[in-house]
Amino acid sequence: MATPWGGDLVVICIFLAIAAPLTTAIGVNYGTKGDNLPPPATVAGFLANRTIIDRVKLFDNNPDIVRAFAGTGISVMVTAANGDIPSLASKEGATAWVAANVAPYYPATEISLVAVGNEIMDTADQNLIGNLVPAMRTLKAALVAAGYRRIRVSTPSSLGILVDSQPPSATRFRDGWDVAVFAPMLQFLRRTSSPLVVNAYPYFGYNGDTLPYALARPNPGVRDAGTGITYTSMFQAQLDSVYSAMKKLGFEDVEILVGETGWPTKAMDGQVGVSPAEAAEYIRYLISEVGSGSGTPLMPKRTFETYIFALFNEDLKPGPVAERNFGMFQPDFTPMYDVGIMKKDTVNTTAPAHDSNAAAAPPESASSAAASAPAPTQDRSSGGATSPAPSDDESTHETLEEAEGGEAPSSPKSEPANDNSSEAAAKGGDNDKGNSEKTNPEEGGATQPPSGAASKATTFIFHVSWVLAVALPLVMHV
């Protein structure tokens, strides 16, 4: 006869096994370089009502799109344009940006993070690179001063920021950038509990021989002589390369967020490994990997907030054929493949919208896909230019210290003092949508939430009830 503790353990294991998929949090990049894309409100309703996607990343701060996600329970990462960076480095510029681009929408729209530019290091623009970290500091201080301390600040980078990316243990940040840019950036990210955002694409690093490695199929693996680890997944190796570079600067504890990763369904004629089948295989692996909580060989049991590239095929994107075919959906919401992100109880593929007449969104303000490894169709690596060490903005440092743990100034539009924030959900994979930061639909002209916001909570309650229904008889039996 089993002991009472044995029975409890059985129930706990069953509960965890069933409930684990519910904690899987996956995001998507919502690009708008297309002339046939649905209105933002329709997109928001579709994601909330028909999919399990609970976060989106935008390449700009388009007000129609940001407003469309109000009350949906979907957190939003917005992007400040590359050209805004010099002005964001000043207190006045950062304060004005927050007043125009955050205050009208938050907390009705759950803005979880502001990305300062996109792949700035790849631009080789010394003015942008030199102002990047000061802009991040000053913007964070402005957010805190406005009462929005839980909104994180970071900047996405391609893997072009790294050198010696094979093997992972040998990887480091590019010379010059390591001390001048990434050491102060990582110090800022550590102090503000914000992630380093990287865009990691096995697609841009594979060839015909390494396709199984890129797709994490069974393969002999690639051995890292420095650690003795054999990698069978290029995605894991890429993340561990980032970790190794961070560790060499003493910042291995900083969270890593995957801002972009994906696989196209179509490329140049004759290119091996590109079809809806391979795209589905990679995205299915990615969702499983992110949701498992197993981490990587160098970062065991660590979770990674991850955003799939991309939501739609975008017919106006320049470049190779693949660039226009990374989407998980056609513009009419027809799935390109099945990877389990559609809700099981949905029948229709078109969602009710906040406002079916909402205007279409403008194009992204920055390029959207990159990695350091040689690409099958294009080169996404950076130029390797160095930059001067960014200067500290003394006018923002005191407020930033408040962001790091002190009391923020009061604000009439400050966020509620609820630790179960959208940021916490984004960082920890918590699928709880019940925080109070999205309960003011009138703020910023926000509309009422679509039914998906409630249905996510209902689905969770249903699954918990089902788990209890299974678990209780087992307890009685044991």
Side-chain angles (χ1 to χ4, degrees):
M1 184 174 183
T3 65
W5 274 109
D8 290 343
L9 289 174
V10 169
V11 174
I12 291 170
C13 290
I14 293 174
F15 181 88
L16 291 176
I18 297 173
L22 300 178
T23 64
T24 300
I26 197 73
V28 67
N29 283 269
Y30 177 6
T32 56
K33 287 188 175 179
D35 59 7
N36 55 356
L37 301 181
T42 306
V43 174
F46 169 76
L47 292 177
N49 295 324
R50 309 300 187 197
T51 77
I52 63 171
I53 292 169
D54 69 349
R55 62 204 66 203
V56 298
K57 176 172 167 282
L58 308 180
F59 291 95
D60 54 23
N61 54 318
N62 179 276
D64 290 332
I65 300 180
V66 177
R67 187 180 296 113
F69 284 95
T72 60
I74 295 175
S75 67
V76 179
M77 183 192 307
V78 299
T79 299
N82 291 5
D84 291 339
I85 289 174
S87 65
L88 288 175
S90 71
K91 182 177 181 180
E92 295 76 15
T95 300
W97 195 94
V98 170
N101 298 289
V102 177
Y105 316 109
Y106 185 84
T109 297
E110 295 184 49
I111 299 174
S112 63
L113 187 149
V114 178
V116 179
N118 187 50
E119 298 184 345
I120 296 303
M121 308 309 294
D122 293 353
T123 69
D125 185 317
Q126 297 306 307
N127 185 39
L128 296 181
I129 293 172
N131 279 293
L132 179 57
V133 176
M136 293 168 66
R137 292 189 184 119
T138 314
L139 181 58
K140 178 63 178 180
L143 287 165
V144 171
Y148 311 137
R149 66 167 56 245
R150 285 197 288 262
I151 298 179
R152 300 168 295 170
V153 173
S154 190
T155 185
S157 298
S158 77
L159 295 187
I161 61 178
L162 306 175
V163 291
D164 297 332
S165 58
Q166 290 297 330
S169 63
T171 305
R172 68 184 193 279
F173 291 111
R174 287 187 178 275
D175 295 338
W177 291 355
D178 52 355
V179 175
V181 179
F182 286 101
M185 181 189 296
L186 289 165
Q187 184 179 43
F188 163 80
L189 296 175
R190 172 189 280 168
R191 291 192 317 215
T192 60
S193 299
S194 298
L196 179 69
V197 181
V198 295
N199 299 336
Y201 283 91
Y203 171 74
F204 290 115
Y206 88 98
N207 56 42
D209 294 332
T210 60
L211 181 62
Y213 180 49
L215 292 174
R217 293 172 179 169
N219 66 88
V222 177
R223 188 174 184 273
D224 184 335
T227 60
I229 295 168
T230 297
Y231 288 89
T232 56
S233 161
M234 188 183 294
F235 178 70
Q236 286 194 348
Q238 288 178 337
L239 293 185
D240 275 357
S241 293
V242 176
Y243 172 83
S244 293
M246 294 164 60
K247 186 175 182 179
K248 287 178 174 64
L249 295 180
F251 293 97
E252 66 269 25
D253 57 313
V254 173
E255 177 189 356
I256 296 173
L257 183 154
V258 181
E260 297 178 28
T261 188
W263 200 279
T265 54
K266 185 178 180 182
M268 296 184 300
D269 291 342
Q271 183 172 328
V272 176
V274 179
S275 75
E278 279 88 6
E281 185 177 2
Y282 178 72
I283 299 301
R284 195 176 295 115
Y285 157 75
L286 181 73
I287 293 173
S288 174
E289 178 71 21
V290 171
S292 69
S294 60
T296 68
L298 295 183
M299 297 177 284
K301 298 183 180 179
R302 190 184 286 199
T303 58
F304 305 96
E305 184 179 343
T306 300
Y307 294 79
I308 298 169
F309 188 86
L311 181 56
F312 294 116
N313 284 337
E314 299 171 62
D315 63 347
L316 297 183
K317 293 197 71 174
V321 174
E323 284 296 306
R324 294 177 287 281
N325 292 278
F326 271 89
M328 294 193 292
F329 296 94
Q330 293 282 11
D332 65 355
F333 300 111
T334 301
M336 295 300 298
Y337 41 74
D338 179 14
V339 291
I341 64 170
M342 302 299 294
K343 289 182 177 177
K344 300 301 183 183
D345 58 347
T346 58
V347 177
N348 300 323
T349 58
T350 303
H354 296 298
D355 178 8
S356 60
N357 296 317
E364 300 142 330
S365 59
S367 62
S368 57
S372 62
T377 55
Q378 64 189 85
D379 181 8
R380 298 302 186 87
S381 63
S382 61
T386 60
S387 68
S391 60
D392 231 330
D393 187 335
E394 296 299 332
S395 66
T396 65
H397 189 68
E398 181 178 355
T399 310
L400 181 57
E401 289 178 348
E402 295 168 352
E404 294 162 6
E407 290 300 321
S410 60
S411 167
K413 298 185 76 173
S414 62
E415 55 195 351
N418 180 0
D419 288 337
N420 294 323
S421 64
S422 61
E423 177 186 351
K427 293 177 70 175
D430 188 349
N431 203 30
D432 181 9
K433 304 301 175 189
N435 71 75
S436 61
E437 293 186 356
K438 57 180 171 48
T439 58
N440 186 3
E442 296 180 2
E443 186 157 345
T447 53
Q448 292 294 332
S451 59
S455 67
K456 289 190 176 185
T458 304
T459 302
F460 178 80
I461 293 170
F462 170 79
H463 282 291
V464 171
S465 300
W466 186 81
V467 170
L468 292 175
V470 173
L472 288 175
L474 286 171
V475 173
M476 297 298 294
H477 176 73
V478 176

